[in-house]
Amino acid sequence: MLSINKNFKILKNSNNVIISSFTTSTPTQNNNNNVKRNKYINVFRSKMFIPFQDQKMETDLIESQLLMQKGGLIRKLAVGSYSTLPFAQKALENLIKVIDEEMEQVGGQKMTMPKMIPKELWDKTGRWDAFGKDLIKLKDRRENEYCMGPTHEEVVTSIVGNEKLPFNNFPIKLYQIGEKFRDEIRPRFGLLRGKEFLMKDMYSFDVTKEDAEKTYYQVKQAYHNILDRLELPYACVEADSGNIGGNMSHEFQVVTKAGEDKLIHCSNCGYHANIEKAVGLKSKENINDTFDPIFNIVRIETNQKKNNKHIAIVVNDSQDTFNHYSIKKHYNNIKSIEPITKNQYTDLLSKHNSKENGELNYQIFVDTNASKPFSKNQDALLEQIKSEFSINLNKDHKIIDSDILIEAKEGDICAQESCNGSSKLGIKKGIEVGHIFYLGNKYSSSFNATSCKNNIVKDLEMGCFGIGVSRLLAASVEALSKSGKEIDGTVTKDKITFPKEITPYHIIIVPKKESLQKDAEEISQQLQQQIPELKGRIIIDDRHDANVGHKIFESKFLGIPYLLVLNIDKSKQTNYKVEYDYGQIKEENNYLNQPDTLDYFKNKFI
Ligand SMILES: [Zn+2]
């Protein structure tokens, strides 16, 4: 008989992690350091805080939200803010471990930066105003203003900039994992789009552009490694750099039908891009040969001291959604870029008629796809623009022929050279879980973050690399799990699946009879003693007031791949039934004895 220490008081294990009252364990004395070590930890379901929600759920929830809420993994506190309950917290911490390992592989150094950021830092980059209402602002008792950090470029660049490090100290890659804050206009979908979320953000500092580019691709590879380890369906897509700035950017998208982002892809050449950035060619039947211009207006402000207000008039020939990001490459150092309506333009024009607001600079772009009929009618086009926009344009005002100014859509022709016009574009939906940017000197120049080599002082070249950690957890559940939404109060096939690497527990043991409790504890202990990976990762469902069917039903919401059911056979012996259910693979082994069961798991884990 094993002697079990019922440690309902608090006991510390070797890592000084407190083993709480839902476990029992056998401590042994370690003579070297006098620390009590446990050979095994029995985790009892009856004492765990996993508040399964039996009542009917709201019907407008997406799968991950429904499953995690029902399973007792998350709870909503307010719109856009969720508590991560202990079970999901374990998965989250396993996920953080994967991320930490991959960041360390590329030389990442972990740190923590304050979440309350003084206004002065954000004023230096102009983002205090430019970030708009997404920025959560507050004041302390002395009326000092702060924002709750949605991103930390300003903080990290000021820290590095203050140190004046020698050039051979670079590259430096600093990262943190912590809460970020954003006053989302429409927080929704549980952990996927909250006002407060867990984020991994890394910032890289290099001396030269070439080195910074190397760093960019090195960290990009680390992102591939993370998502490969999680075995998630994902795509790395070219992306727009939004208000973070810079000119090279990729997104990592978990592909799932609940995704909010549209991804254009070509199955022939592997081209992937966010629809904001995607380029396509119109298929021949959609090319218009008549002169019938449609005008789109974009307002652009740059960070230049003079001539920083621009109006782009973009001419194309269809009502297709115009992609205003496609003209970004014609401007340097953009502060803001937004499409505006004709009425907004008229208001703007009246403001700029007075000298103190500065002049508007006009550029005219014509979509390459539509330029043929327009090039024949250039004078007519200029005349039409002059009268529609109440502006004076010289007869020789330059018209910029720019490529592909409409949002690419499904069925367009792939514009990549390697495809040679032979393949059509498709569309997928994705959840953005990672976004990486090459920033150049956008932030280092504001904070005087420089390096000195051969007496030449240069701004540092930066990159920034984000992973939405809590979002990645929810996106994993979304992509891997199944939910048959409730119909008339019954749910038939709900099941959470976590990526194998982050699953909080490997096995749940359900004894069918109260008398099998001891057998359950014994097999749990033996498994842990013989298979180190299972230590602390087996749950015994010891609730004698719940029926077995319901216990098994609930266990499907915990993403535990192995279910071990104990029963008594006709000859009064204990028999073991193992069910394995992960992704498409299912296994069932019935009527095993104890040694067979141990062998089964040894085969799986050792
Ligand atoms: Zn292609």
Side-chain angles (χ1 to χ4, degrees):
M1 273 292 287
L2 286 157
S3 126
I4 294 168
N5 171 23
K6 296 255 178 208
N7 54 348
F8 284 90
K9 287 176 192 161
I10 283 171
L11 178 84
K12 287 186 174 178
N13 75 356
S14 57
N15 298 318
N16 276 348
V17 174
I18 292 170
I19 298 164
S20 58
S21 60
F22 64 78
T23 65
T24 62
S25 57
T26 302
T28 55
Q29 204 70 23
N30 181 320
N31 291 331
N32 294 333
N33 53 14
N34 269 347
V35 173
K36 286 176 178 171
R37 291 186 187 279
N38 305 305
K39 284 184 184 164
Y40 58 82
I41 304 165
N42 278 344
V43 182
F44 294 114
R45 175 67 183 83
S46 63
K47 299 291 183 286
M48 296 176 87
F49 183 61
I50 310 174
F52 186 79
Q53 197 173 327
D54 255 331
Q55 65 270 38
K56 207 170 172 177
M57 311 271 297
E58 297 160 54
T59 50
D60 59 343
L61 305 180
I62 59 165
E63 291 192 356
S64 58
Q65 197 179 3
L66 180 129
L67 291 165
M68 293 176 86
Q69 207 156 299
K70 191 171 180 78
L73 274 56
I74 56 170
R75 279 295 177 267
K76 184 173 170 178
L77 182 67
V79 174
S81 90
Y82 280 79
S83 300
T84 309
L85 302 190
F87 200 90
Q89 184 68 32
K90 267 188 170 285
L92 203 57
E93 273 159 26
N94 291 340
L95 177 58
I96 289 170
K97 191 166 163 263
V98 171
I99 294 171
D100 279 339
E101 283 170 7
E102 294 302 329
M103 290 301 103
E104 264 178 36
Q105 282 286 321
V106 292
Q109 302 175 63
K110 199 171 185 178
M111 64 182 291
T112 302
M113 290 178 252
K115 292 168 183 63
M116 266 172 70
I117 307 174
K119 176 175 185 281
E120 299 81 73
L121 282 186
W122 276 62
D123 277 339
K124 279 200 175 184
T125 53
R127 288 208 296 179
W128 183 265
D129 296 319
F131 221 81
K133 290 192 167 171
D134 279 1
L135 200 60
I136 297 177
K137 298 173 179 174
L138 65 154
K139 284 182 185 172
D140 68 10
R141 65 176 74 197
R142 293 181 184 82
E143 297 287 302
N144 296 318
E145 290 187 85
Y146 298 86
C147 67
M148 296 301 292
T151 174
H152 276 72
E153 285 82 2
E154 283 83 354
V155 178
V156 75
T157 315
S158 75
I159 294 170
V160 173
N162 281 337
E163 299 307 324
K164 304 294 167 227
L165 299 167
F167 76 91
N168 54 10
N169 205 150
F170 297 96
I172 292 175
K173 296 161 200 149
L174 301 173
Y175 82 100
Q176 60 175 352
I177 296 181
E179 277 75 28
K180 294 276 187 277
F181 303 86
R182 187 183 279 266
D183 197 352
E184 282 284 349
I185 192 162
R186 250 179 1 115
R188 58 199 179 279
F189 304 150
L191 299 184
L192 284 180
R193 191 173 287 280
K195 288 185 179 174
E196 185 178 339
F197 47 94
L198 195 66
M199 177 111 170
K200 189 283 300 179
D201 44 334
M202 177 188 262
Y203 306 91
S204 66
F205 298 86
D206 276 281
V207 175
T208 66
K209 275 187 180 161
E210 294 71 37
D211 288 348
E213 201 165 293
K214 237 183 260 168
T215 297
Y216 181 88
Y217 284 105
Q218 191 188 32
V219 182
K220 181 168 175 271
Q221 183 55 47
Y223 275 47
H224 281 285
N225 295 350
I226 291 166
L227 291 163
D228 287 343
R229 281 176 67 174
L230 299 176
E231 298 178 80
L232 291 171
Y234 76 94
C236 171
V237 301
E238 287 178 21
D240 185 76
S241 46
N243 60 9
I244 300 274
N247 50 18
M248 182 160 60
S249 176
H250 286 89
E251 282 171 2
F252 288 81
Q253 297 266 357
V254 170
V255 175
T256 157
K257 59 184 186 304
E260 288 191 279
D261 287 350
K262 289 180 183 162
L263 317 175
I264 290 287
H265 70 102
C266 168
S267 50
N268 189 38
C269 68
Y271 170 74
H272 273 90
N274 191 309
I275 199 156
E276 288 175 351
K277 172 97 180 179
V279 290
L281 298 165
K282 278 185 200 179
S283 56
K284 287 230 167 60
E285 62 267 29
N286 291 333
I287 292 180
N288 201 337
D289 224 14
T290 54
F291 177 70
D292 189 12
I294 287 171
F295 300 110
N296 305 274
I297 317 163
V298 185
R299 176 189 177 184
I300 298 125
E301 199 173 334
T302 64
N303 286 314
Q304 261 94 12
K305 293 218 166 75
K306 281 184 183 169
N307 288 333
N308 57 3
K309 295 187 170 63
H310 301 265
I311 292 292
I313 298 167
V314 183
V315 186
N316 66 7
D317 67 344
S318 76
Q319 297 288 3
D320 288 328
T321 312
F322 160 64
N323 182 352
H324 66 279
Y325 289 105
S326 60
I327 56 166
K328 267 180 85 171
K329 60 187 171 204
H330 297 282
Y331 297 87
N332 288 325
N333 215 347
I334 292 176
K335 190 173 170 190
S336 63
I337 176 166
E338 54 169 350
I340 55 172
T341 62
K342 191 73 192 291
N343 285 344
Q344 286 171 315
Y345 168 75
T346 312
D347 289 349
L348 200 67
L349 195 61
S350 62
K351 252 206 239 162
H352 283 273
N353 276 340
S354 61
K355 279 237 162 96
E356 67 266 27
N357 284 326
E359 278 189 10
L360 292 170
N361 299 283
Y362 289 88
Q363 293 80 34
I364 298 166
F365 296 92
V366 170
D367 179 3
T368 303
N369 277 324
S371 61
K372 211 172 106 197
F374 296 147
S375 60
K376 285 189 228 149
N377 298 284
Q378 194 154 322
D379 291 348
L381 183 66
L382 278 177
E383 282 308 312
Q384 199 171 338
I385 290 172
K386 273 160 76 174
S387 75
E388 283 222 16
F389 292 87
S390 318
I391 44 171
N392 288 319
L393 294 174
N394 292 333
K395 211 168 171 284
D396 52 356
H397 191 98
K398 197 175 162 216
I399 293 181
I400 304 161
D401 194 358
S402 185
D403 53 354
I404 307 145
L405 299 161
I406 54 158
E407 265 188 7
K409 57 182 190 305
E410 197 169 13
D412 283 351
I413 306 288
C414 177
Q416 305 308 301
E417 256 176 50
S418 56
C419 263
N420 204 14
S422 63
S423 180
K424 285 195 173 180
L425 297 173
I427 197 159
K428 292 177 186 169
K429 280 183 166 179
I431 298 170
E432 180 196 330
V433 293
H435 201 159
I436 62 176
F437 307 87
Y438 170 59
L439 298 172
N441 68 350
K442 182 178 157 84
Y443 295 91
S444 52
S445 61
S446 301
F447 289 94
N448 202 19
T450 56
S451 75
C452 181
K453 190 177 182 182
N454 304 331
N455 287 329
I456 300 168
V457 178
K458 271 181 60 194
D459 289 336
L460 288 166
E461 294 287 328
M462 289 177 60
C464 121
F465 309 87
I467 291 180
V469 182
S470 43
R471 182 187 274 199
L472 179 52
L473 179 71
S476 306
V477 171
E478 193 64 45
L480 300 177
S481 307
K482 290 178 208 135
S483 147
K485 288 195 176 177
E486 274 191 9
I487 301 162
D488 301 330
T490 53
V491 189
T492 50
K493 52 172 185 173
D494 283 359
K495 177 166 171 42
I496 281 190
T497 302
F498 289 113
K500 268 186 207 153
E501 279 235 27
I502 69 165
T503 183
Y505 293 90
H506 290 307
I507 303 172
I508 183 160
I509 302 176
V510 179
K512 273 197 163 177
K513 295 189 163 51
E514 203 173 330
S515 61
L516 289 164
Q517 173 77 15
K518 279 274 165 285
D519 295 83
E521 288 177 27
E522 197 177 300
I523 186 104
S524 165
Q525 289 155 20
Q526 290 194 14
L527 283 166
Q528 293 181 64
Q529 281 164 353
Q530 294 181 32
I531 308 169
E533 200 186 329
L534 293 179
K535 188 176 165 187
R537 307 198 58 183
I538 301 175
I539 297 176
I540 298 168
D541 196 338
D542 59 332
R543 295 171 300 168
H544 302 306
D545 51 349
N547 83 41
V548 173
H550 192 75
K551 285 181 188 178
I552 293 172
F553 172 66
E554 270 191 37
S555 75
K556 304 280 181 197
F557 288 82
L558 301 178
I560 303 173
Y562 291 96
L563 168 70
L564 177 58
V565 181
L566 272 54
N567 205 357
I568 295 175
D569 65 17
K570 282 175 196 153
S571 55
K572 304 228 164 99
Q573 296 295 306
T574 306
N575 74 54
Y576 300 78
K577 177 187 173 188
V578 185
E579 258 183 56
Y580 172 73
D581 189 352
Y582 187 88
Q584 301 300 319
I585 303 162
K586 287 186 176 44
E587 274 177 29
E588 208 174 298
N589 272 287
N590 219 341
Y591 306 115
L592 300 176
N593 57 27
Q594 202 195 65
D596 290 343
T597 308
L598 286 169
D599 285 345
Y600 174 88
F601 284 110
K602 275 193 225 165
N603 274 333
K604 295 290 175 187
F605 286 95
I606 298 178

